[in-house]
């Protein structure tokens, strides 16, 4: 419609312009008109040499060359009157009616043409959009074998999260019957190559629904409004195919936080597109079974409006795999090539810390290429080694690659946290320990709160500080040096200690005195101290320092006592990178025996230990 209206407006503007210029031309070229009586006067004076009749209009030529026109009441009478005078008489056909008709006809034809062309264009652009949408459509019964969850390895948590979406897409009625509103938007966030696109395709494959796949940059066009109208068209089109999935890769291209430094039009275009997307998502009715999946590797720059309820209110983190995950991914891709018998992918997995799914897939392929190039018909370890050399030397590895030394101290650091958390009576159980760098933190030891506590005891808080200090303590014991790795721990510990003394009245010396302004947060949060006397301030500083120091010393004492255990846990971590609660418990019960405590280094093989291969006990046996 818009095109038609625009063209019609253009057409009328053109007409007005034409009329105006005709008017101006007319004023300049038109003959002077005189009155009939003036004409009679000239006729009586014999000033006229020639008269041309055009109907009742006459054009008069003077003897001196002057020309003008006039209207006569009765042409025939005038003609007879002129007989015998020395005036040339000529006639011209009056064509003004014909000209008018001609112009009117041309005008109508032009108008009709405008309308027809515009409508045609509109149809074409509609076809374009349909083509745009259908080009990106993958149907469940297409010729390609659908991707399923079996093709996605090493992402058990994400698969669990997304299982619900699959069952919703399969049985929307079951959900609407109980009045449950389905999730509309899911944001898959994680580094490039971790399998976000794969996962989205797998959901479509599992649910056997149509899958529309776009990239954020498809919507960023030169012209303002194109992206927005594309979004609307896509959703209109998708509604006809419901239930279905719309996947938008790199959503940050349209959903980025509006920042300065861009041209006004680019800015406008993006926010219009984003708005259109939000409006469409808000406008789903319960009968439209459409799930919008979006992927990004820059969740930090996304506009917060995207995450509001009813939009992308679910976020699934897709992170680079740990050793176990890498092994599984390698096995999935290894199944497509002819591997040597009894090939152990675990061995390869341990060689490539930090590799993403895409890099692992590439590695398998490169290895197969190596084998084929050498004329072999199976892929062996050496091929993987060659492929790895080529990959590592050829392209610079993106992302974080940490040196062996750093990994070492990281492993000790995290093991230190974990062992103290396990041994102190008042602490939360260990949920997960990892030395895979994530975000800004290098490693992580996650503890689960047993219950949502609303009140914390002195002992609990003190244990927490001691656990925080355990990271550095472990590094110090193992390498006799301090690193920057403990920065986050120290900040947290200091905040806790400050709160204990200045907020919760837990110091004997200071007493139950509130000395910091409450900032709303319960644990942690940057607190500001109130105005206080120098003497009090000094005492407070002393108390905080004492508390931190004693906790730190406690941590060192515990770890020194359990040094053998620390070494083992660190070695296991270096090997498997991530330990969950269960693994950790098994290791602790396996290794944390009285014998070890007593310092008896007995050689044994732990059957249940997930790290049996790398267990120091068995290593020692080999040596
Ligand atoms: P992203 O969208 O996160 O950038 P992709 O989904 O495009 O990553 O991954 C690229 C390729 O890497 C996939 O086609 C697949 O072959 C491989 N891949 C990535 N992650 C996995 C995984 N978890 N399991 C199996 N293959 C994976
Ligand atoms: Zn730490």
């Amino acid at each position: 419609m818009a095109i038609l209206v625009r063209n019609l407006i253009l057409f009328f503007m053109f007409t007005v312009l034409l009329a105006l210029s005709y008017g101006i031309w007319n004023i300049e070229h038109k003959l002077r008109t005189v009155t009939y009586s003036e004409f009679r006067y000239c006729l009586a004076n014999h000033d006229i040499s020639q008269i041309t009749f055009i109907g009742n209009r006459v054009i008069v030529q003077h003897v001196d060359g002057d020309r003008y026109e006039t209207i006569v009441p009765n042409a025939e009478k005038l003609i007879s009157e002129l007989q015998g005078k020395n005036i040339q008489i000529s006639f011209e056909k009056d064509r003004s009616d014909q000209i008018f008709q001609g112009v009117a006809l041309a005008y109508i034809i032009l108008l009709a043409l405008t309308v027809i062309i515009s409508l045609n264009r509109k149809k074409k652009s509609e076809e374009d959009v349909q083509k745009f949408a259908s080009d990106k459509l993958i149907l469940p019964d297409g010729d390609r074998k659908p991707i399923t969850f079996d093709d996605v390895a090493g992402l058990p948590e994400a698969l669990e999260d997304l299982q619900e979406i699959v069952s919703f897409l399969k049985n929307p009625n079951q959900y609407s019957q109980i009045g449950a509103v389905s999730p509309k938007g899911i944001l898959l966030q994680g580094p490039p190559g971790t399998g976000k696109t794969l996962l989205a395709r797998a959901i479509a494959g599992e649910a056997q629904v149509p899958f529309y796949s776009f990239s954020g940059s498809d919507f960023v066009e030169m012209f303002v409004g194109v992206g927005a109208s594309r979004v609307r068209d896509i959703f209109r089109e998708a509604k006809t195919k419901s239930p279905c999935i719309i996947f938008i890769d790199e959503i940050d291209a349209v959903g980025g936080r509006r920042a300065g430094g861009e041209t006004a039009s680019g800015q406008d275009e993006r926010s219009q597109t984003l708005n259109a997307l939000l409006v469409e998502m808000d406008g789903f009715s319960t009968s439209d079974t459409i799930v919008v999946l979006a992927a990004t590797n820059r969740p930090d720059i996304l506009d917060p409006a995207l995450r509001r309820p009813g939009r992308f209110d679910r976020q699934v983190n897709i992170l680079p795999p740990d050793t176990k995950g890498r092994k599984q991914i390698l096995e999935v891709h290894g199944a497509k090539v002819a591997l040597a018998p009894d090939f152990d992918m675990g061995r390869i997995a341990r060689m490539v810390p930090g590799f993403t799914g895409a890099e692992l897939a590439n590695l398998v392929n490169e290895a197969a290429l190596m084998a084929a190039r050498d004329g072999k018909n199976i892929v062996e370890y050496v091929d993987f080694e060659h492929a790895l050399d080529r990959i590592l030397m050829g392209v610079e590895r993106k992302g974080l690659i940490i040196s062996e030394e750093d990994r070492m101290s990281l492993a000790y650091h995290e093991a230190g946290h974990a062992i103290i958390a396990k041994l102190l009576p008042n602490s939360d159980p260990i949920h997960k320990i990892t030395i895979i760098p994530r975000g800004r933190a290098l490693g992580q030891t996650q503890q689960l709160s047993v219950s949502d506590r609303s009140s914390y005891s002195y002992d609990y808080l003190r244990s927490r500080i001691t656990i925080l200090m355990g990271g550095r303590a472990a590094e110090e014991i193992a390498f006799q040096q301090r690193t920057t790795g403990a920065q986050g721990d120290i900040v947290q510990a200091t905040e806790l200690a400050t709160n204990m003394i200045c907020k919760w009245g837990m110091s004997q010396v200071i007493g139950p005195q509130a000395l910091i302004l409450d900032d709303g947060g319960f644990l942690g949060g940057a607190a500001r101290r109130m105005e206080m006397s120098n003497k009090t301030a000094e005492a407070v500083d002393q108390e905080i320092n004492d508390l931190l120091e004693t906790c730190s010393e406690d941590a060192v004492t515990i770890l020194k006592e359990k040094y053998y255990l620390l070494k083992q846990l660190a070695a296991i971590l270096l090997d498997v990178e991530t330990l969950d609660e269960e693994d950790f418990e098994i290791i602790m019960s396996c290794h944390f025996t009285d014998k070890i405590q007593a310092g008896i280094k007995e050689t044994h093989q732990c059957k249940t230990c997930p790290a049996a291969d790398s267990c120091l006990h068995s290593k020692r046996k080999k040596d």
Side-chain angles (χ1 to χ4, degrees):
M1 217 55 213
I3 304 171
L4 180 61
V5 171
R6 200 191 56 196
N7 281 357
L8 280 182
I9 290 175
L10 271 177
F11 181 78
F12 284 116
M13 272 162 65
F14 172 71
T15 313
V16 169
L17 219 79
L18 211 67
L20 268 178
S21 48
Y22 176 70
I24 292 170
W25 181 85
N26 227 3
I27 289 169
E28 276 176 1
H29 291 81
K30 214 176 168 186
L31 286 176
R32 186 163 56 93
T33 315
V34 302
T35 58
Y36 183 58
S37 34
E38 213 175 318
F39 165 67
R40 297 272 358 166
Y41 174 78
C42 295
L43 195 62
N45 267 355
H46 303 289
D47 283 349
I48 290 168
S49 64
Q50 189 188 351
I51 295 179
T52 310
F53 284 86
I54 309 169
N56 271 5
R57 244 173 89 224
V58 294
I59 293 173
V60 182
Q61 173 100 40
H62 261 227
V63 204
D64 59 7
D66 190 17
R67 270 160 69 90
Y68 56 77
E69 68 168 77
T70 187
I71 306 286
V72 298
N74 191 335
E76 267 151 51
K77 203 168 146 233
L78 180 63
I79 292 167
S80 54
E81 222 177 288
L82 291 175
Q83 299 296 325
K85 287 189 178 162
N86 190 18
I87 295 175
Q88 272 193 343
I89 300 176
S90 59
F91 297 93
E92 257 177 39
K93 222 174 155 211
D94 183 359
R95 272 195 299 250
S96 59
D97 267 8
Q98 279 177 339
I99 291 174
F100 178 76
Q101 280 168 7
V103 167
L105 194 69
Y107 192 81
I108 287 168
I109 290 174
L110 248 155
L111 190 70
L113 272 178
T114 312
V115 172
I116 290 169
I117 290 174
S118 314
L119 286 180
N120 238 346
R121 269 266 204 86
K122 195 181 150 231
K123 220 171 108 201
K124 199 157 162 276
S125 74
E126 260 167 16
E127 275 164 11
D128 272 1
V129 164
Q130 264 192 4
K131 197 161 164 299
F132 175 71
S134 55
D135 267 1
K136 319 260 172 164
L137 175 64
I138 300 169
L139 286 171
D141 44 8
D143 27 318
R144 271 195 283 174
K145 186 179 156 285
I147 292 173
T148 63
F149 281 174
D150 291 339
D151 298 302
V152 186
L155 297 168
E157 287 119 340
L159 289 191
E160 208 170 289
D161 277 2
L162 295 169
Q163 192 63 55
E164 190 192 334
I165 308 296
V166 173
S167 69
F168 163 68
L169 283 166
K170 272 184 161 162
N171 291 312
N173 293 337
Q174 189 189 330
Y175 282 73
S176 59
Q177 259 167 20
I178 25 172
V181 181
S182 71
K184 289 180 187 171
I186 296 130
L187 190 63
L188 306 172
Q189 45 192 32
T194 40
K196 301 183 289 297
T197 313
L198 186 72
L199 203 52
R201 296 263 326 255
I203 295 171
E206 285 283 322
Q208 302 199 320
V209 297
F211 180 74
Y212 286 97
S213 167
F214 304 98
S215 165
S217 50
D218 288 339
F219 302 107
V220 185
E221 288 280 335
M222 285 290 290
F223 301 107
V224 175
V226 173
S229 74
R230 272 194 187 164
V231 169
R232 285 190 289 270
D233 292 328
I234 286 163
F235 277 84
R236 196 177 330 117
E237 168 82 15
K239 277 176 195 165
T240 65
K241 293 255 177 359
S242 149
C244 67
I245 291 177
I246 298 178
F247 175 63
I248 307 173
D249 204 357
E250 289 167 37
I251 187 140
D252 36 289
V254 281
R257 197 188 299 267
R258 294 141 228 223
E262 268 183 277
T263 61
S265 76
Q267 183 71 270
D268 224 32
E269 163 68 356
R270 268 184 26 186
S271 61
Q272 275 197 21
T273 309
L274 178 59
N275 281 344
L277 182 65
L278 297 181
V279 166
E280 288 297 332
M281 289 188 74
D282 289 344
F284 279 175
S285 67
T286 32
S287 60
D288 302 320
T289 315
I290 301 178
V291 172
V292 185
L293 293 171
T296 180
N297 47 34
R298 295 293 314 275
D300 50 315
I301 63 161
L302 284 190
D303 198 300
L306 271 174
R307 298 179 198 257
R308 293 221 187 101
R311 296 167 181 176
F312 293 99
D313 47 4
R314 289 241 192 139
Q315 282 121 45
V316 178
N317 288 325
I318 317 281
L319 296 166
D322 57 14
T323 320
K324 208 163 107 195
R326 289 200 299 272
K327 179 166 177 259
Q328 289 165 353
I329 295 174
L330 283 167
E331 276 163 0
V332 164
H333 291 280
K336 297 172 198 158
V337 299
L339 291 175
D342 294 333
F343 195 93
D344 175 21
M345 278 297 185
R347 200 169 129 189
I348 310 292
R350 281 193 291 274
M351 281 156 57
V352 288
F355 264 44
T356 62
E359 286 168 311
L360 293 168
N362 182 38
L363 175 62
V364 174
N365 188 46
E366 286 282 334
L369 285 177
M370 288 282 176
R373 203 194 56 187
D374 294 346
K376 293 197 275 192
N377 48 16
I378 49 166
V379 187
E380 293 170 312
Y381 286 110
V382 277
D383 301 314
F384 272 88
E385 268 156 27
H386 289 165
L388 194 58
D389 283 349
R390 181 148 125 190
I391 291 171
L392 291 182
M393 277 188 287
V395 284
E396 203 184 339
R397 286 280 322 287
K398 294 163 285 166
L400 258 170
I401 195 98
I402 42 178
S403 71
E404 202 45 39
E405 233 167 79
D406 286 349
R407 278 186 85 226
M408 256 318 226
S409 62
L410 200 55
Y412 272 90
H413 181 109
E414 299 307 328
H417 285 312
I419 289 173
I420 293 184
K422 171 78 186 161
L423 296 184
L424 285 181
N426 285 298
S427 54
D428 299 322
I430 294 288
H431 175 53
K432 193 170 193 175
I433 321 169
T434 175
I435 57 166
I436 300 178
R438 278 175 195 182
R440 277 175 54 210
L442 283 175
Q444 240 176 35
T445 299
Q446 294 171 358
Q447 284 178 271
L448 263 197
S449 295
V450 191
S451 57
D452 277 330
R453 306 189 197 205
S454 53
S455 161
Y456 296 83
S457 70
Y458 176 83
D459 286 345
Y460 172 83
L461 293 168
R462 220 188 121 119
S463 302
R464 228 160 119 153
I465 297 179
T466 313
I467 294 165
L468 284 166
M469 294 302 188
R472 156 155 293 184
E475 289 181 55
E476 266 182 15
I477 294 170
F479 311 107
Q480 286 82 43
Q481 65 178 358
R482 298 180 167 179
T483 68
T484 54
Q487 180 188 352
D489 299 337
I490 292 174
V491 171
Q492 268 191 49
T494 312
E495 260 165 24
L496 264 182
T498 311
N499 279 340
M500 284 170 76
I501 285 149
C502 301
K503 203 192 230 169
W504 304 318
M506 286 176 174
S507 150
Q508 296 289 336
V509 181
I510 309 292
Q513 223 188 125
L515 290 170
I516 50 177
L517 296 172
D518 205 339
D519 53 348
F522 188 67
L523 284 180
R528 251 182 323 130
R529 289 199 203 170
M530 283 187 207
E531 291 279 322
M532 57 180 102
S533 71
N534 280 347
K535 207 172 123 238
T536 317
E538 245 169 61
V540 166
D541 286 342
Q542 189 59 48
E543 276 295 282
I544 293 174
N545 197 42
D546 282 355
L547 180 57
L548 292 173
E549 283 285 357
T550 22
C551 288
S552 191
E553 276 159 24
D554 286 356
V556 172
T557 317
I558 295 172
L559 290 178
K560 269 196 177 140
E561 219 171 276
K562 301 285 182 287
Y563 183 53
Y564 193 68
L565 185 59
L566 177 68
K567 239 166 85 177
Q568 291 218 8
L569 189 59
I572 293 171
L573 268 176
L574 270 176
D575 198 22
V576 298
E577 293 179 350
T578 300
L579 290 173
D580 60 20
E581 187 170 354
E582 203 183 331
D583 293 340
F584 180 66
E585 286 304 325
I586 294 172
I587 292 169
M588 289 310 258
S589 59
C590 168
H591 295 276
F592 184 46
T593 57
D594 291 339
K595 283 180 190 154
I596 297 172
Q597 263 183 312
I600 303 169
K601 292 164 192 164
E602 186 188 282
T603 309
H604 80 279
Q605 177 79 43
C606 327
K607 290 221 174 50
T608 44
C609 175
D613 284 350
S614 58
C615 165
L616 286 196
H617 289 106
S618 48
K619 277 242 174 77
R620 276 160 47 80
K621 198 157 78 178
K622 278 183 214 148
D623 290 345

